[in-house]
Amino acid sequence: MWREDFCAGGAERVRVFGDNDKLSALVMTHIDADLLVLLSDVDGLYTDDPQSENAALISELDSLDDNIRGYARGGNGRGRGGMETKLEAVRIANEDGRPAIIANGRTPGVLDSILAGKPVGTLFFPRKSR
């Protein structure tokens, strides 16, 4: 789901969705979606800056705590969010009992791989199920 600085509301109250990641997570909680897919320019959540030689891709997580959030660094300068907003979207999906995945949108066939259940990106399992 894409949006371009969408604002709605009357003169007294305006609600602004600051990023596509959070907006897509909010939408998925109101429809019968089974999985939130967040595409990025990196392969998923890393333990450090993905360009660092010490960085390791985290393939699966079953909790999203402050330690995990600490792996997220500022945005890449091209968008409004970065990994921090993706983790906020993951939190929204997981709290609603739905899994989420962060994967590289530049990888050919990434959506086919995700839908086939192949190990791609970082998969976040919710603590509770729907």
Side-chain angles (χ1 to χ4, degrees):
M1 173 171 290
W2 295 93
R3 78 95 180 94
E4 296 292 329
D5 294 325
F6 171 79
C7 297
E12 297 174 12
R13 184 174 177 204
V14 176
R15 185 168 190 178
V16 177
F17 297 100
D19 60 83
N20 294 326
D21 301 323
K22 185 175 179 182
L23 178 58
S24 60
L26 292 170
V27 169
M28 89 163 296
T29 65
H30 294 286
I31 63 174
D32 195 27
D34 295 322
L35 174 70
L36 175 64
V37 176
L38 300 168
L39 299 178
S40 182
D41 60 353
V42 295
D43 292 335
L45 181 64
Y46 284 83
T47 57
D48 201 351
D49 181 333
Q51 296 181 11
S52 166
E53 65 183 50
N54 297 325
L57 177 66
I58 302 169
S59 60
E60 294 181 358
L61 287 167
D62 59 6
S63 68
L64 190 58
D65 57 23
D66 289 339
N67 184 46
I68 299 301
R69 285 186 189 91
Y71 294 141
R73 300 290 187 253
N76 61 19
R78 290 190 297 273
R80 293 184 67 123
M83 195 56 67
E84 290 178 83
T85 62
K86 286 179 178 19
L87 292 181
E88 176 61 16
V90 166
R91 181 194 64 76
I92 292 168
N94 283 180
E95 284 183 357
D96 198 53
R98 301 162 197 246
I101 188 165
I102 299 173
N104 194 329
R106 296 179 181 178
T107 301
V110 69
L111 292 176
D112 290 334
S113 295
I114 291 169
L115 295 175
K118 295 180 181 176
V120 176
T122 303
L123 179 60
F124 299 83
F125 293 100
R127 290 187 181 187
K128 66 172 186 170
S129 47
R130 298 190 289 163

